[in-house]
Amino acid sequence: MKISELYRQKSCVFSIECFPPKQTANFEKLKTTLSSMAELSPDFISVTYGAGGSAGGVSTVELASFLKNELHIEPLAHLICMGSDKTSAKETLAQLSKENVHNVLALRGDVTPLRPRSADFAHASDLMFYLRFLSPELGLAGACYPEGHPESDTPAFDIEALRIKQAAGADHLITQLFFDNAKFYRFLNRMRKADLSLPVSAGVMPIVKKSQIERTIALSSASLPSEFTKMIARYQDDEQGLWDAGIDYAVNQIRDLIEGGADGVHLYAMNNFEVAKSVYDGISDLLS
């Protein structure tokens, strides 16, 4: 099933992101966690990029296969440009297809010393064009950035990048995490004015641990509304207080997004079932 069909069937699509463990010994634990998450009835679960194999850990293909074939949840497998080329992308797509996984999120990926830039795919849209060429029926998603891509000069440049992704065959979009819904609504308004009609799932990450604060915010480049900064200032040294406040902030943020007409909400739960369940319990009445 193409995930894009869900956006035509539901007023708001609910999804969760997970990531492959770096050690294969932790795969069984993650399987238990995801089995519990399945009880929350997510419409799909995205699986971040993991090479597995000789690189160690569990691969995206392995984890996506578990979701699809054992939990019967539609997976959205991440594929990245960095460290990839046409041959490896074709091989990975064939592996996914063999496991009955037919939805992919195409990303450039982070620039790191361990993953050189791709000679074949300079941008995520290049990878999208190639994947669409290989598999015309593939469910294809792209990323978007409500506050602008870190390497983008202007909002207009971001919109044009999305226009290229739409032309490349993207069926729907998922946003980078953000904490200020006003930024999301302005971004969505710019998209629609530019005649970009792709459905968009809003990405939300609950901040429930002190260790998340600097790392997550620095990596996402997300701006911080005063309500959020006050929460962090008050509870950063109160473990339970931060957990409760972080869940409450995420629940309120998502409720506003759903009531504001978001096509979907995508929960960055960091493989944590308690986080996912706590947020779901606070929004489930709006998803039915």
Side-chain angles (χ1 to χ4, degrees):
M1 176 185 185
K2 290 181 72 171
I3 288 173
S4 59
E5 296 175 13
L6 295 171
Y7 292 93
R8 293 189 285 270
Q9 299 170 6
K10 307 188 68 171
S11 59
C12 185
V13 172
F14 173 61
S15 56
I16 302 172
E17 182 164 291
C18 69
F19 56 87
K22 294 182 179 180
Q23 302 293 329
T24 55
N26 294 326
F27 196 14
E28 291 304 316
K29 180 180 178 181
L30 180 57
K31 287 181 179 180
T32 299
T33 296
L34 293 174
S35 296
S36 297
M37 284 189 184
E39 298 173 7
L40 307 180
S41 301
D43 294 302
F44 68 90
I45 294 181
S46 73
V47 183
T48 63
Y49 180 76
S54 59
V58 177
S59 72
T60 298
V61 174
E62 290 176 280
L63 186 46
S65 176
F66 171 74
L67 290 168
K68 178 72 174 187
N69 300 308
E70 297 191 43
L71 296 186
H72 308 293
I73 294 175
E74 202 64 45
L76 177 65
H78 292 207
L79 290 185
I80 64 173
C81 300
M82 302 301 293
S84 181
D85 56 24
K86 289 182 177 180
T87 299
S88 61
K90 185 176 182 179
E91 290 174 352
T92 301
L93 191 62
Q95 292 169 2
L96 289 168
S97 180
K98 183 178 179 182
E99 298 300 326
N100 201 28
V101 176
H102 302 294
N103 288 280
V104 166
L105 172 60
L107 303 161
R108 188 193 69 175
D110 296 328
V111 179
T112 71
L114 298 178
R115 290 183 187 143
R117 290 183 181 272
S118 172
D120 291 332
F121 312 121
H123 306 286
S125 55
D126 298 325
L127 177 57
M128 288 179 177
F129 275 114
Y130 184 62
L131 294 174
R132 181 60 76 212
F133 166 76
L134 292 175
S135 179
E137 300 304 316
L138 181 70
L140 191 55
C144 58
Y145 303 83
E147 300 185 60
H149 191 282
E151 298 176 20
S152 176
D153 294 328
T154 66
F157 186 89
D158 267 355
I159 292 298
E160 288 309 305
L162 292 180
R163 194 184 303 282
I164 296 172
K165 289 182 179 181
Q166 182 170 280
D171 300 311
H172 61 103
L173 301 171
I174 298 175
T175 79
Q176 169 69 283
L177 65 92
F178 60 92
F179 302 103
D180 187 346
N181 285 2
K183 300 290 178 65
F184 172 78
Y185 294 131
R186 283 197 287 270
F187 163 76
L188 200 62
N189 187 49
R190 287 196 301 271
M191 272 191 63
R192 300 315 182 209
K193 284 185 175 181
D195 294 323
L196 296 173
S197 58
L198 297 176
V200 180
S201 278
V204 174
M205 177 183 285
I207 299 299
V208 296
K209 295 181 180 179
K210 187 174 181 178
S211 60
Q212 287 181 277
I213 297 172
E214 291 186 4
R215 182 178 70 248
T216 300
I217 294 169
L219 289 176
S220 69
S221 301
S223 61
L224 309 177
S226 60
E227 182 182 355
F228 183 87
T229 58
K230 288 177 182 177
M231 177 191 78
I232 296 301
R234 181 175 182 180
Y235 295 110
Q236 62 179 329
D237 295 318
D238 177 354
E239 185 175 339
Q240 186 60 51
L242 181 58
W243 171 279
D244 295 338
I247 293 295
D248 188 59
Y249 188 94
V251 165
N252 289 332
Q253 183 182 1
I254 293 173
R255 291 185 70 87
D256 178 81
L257 289 165
I258 296 173
E259 292 170 343
D263 301 311
V265 290
H266 189 63
L267 185 64
Y268 295 106
M270 302 301 291
N271 289 5
N272 190 317
F273 170 67
E274 291 304 321
V275 167
K277 184 177 188 307
S278 297
V279 171
Y280 177 80
D281 287 346
I283 65 172
S284 59
D285 62 304
L286 299 180
L287 295 173
S288 57

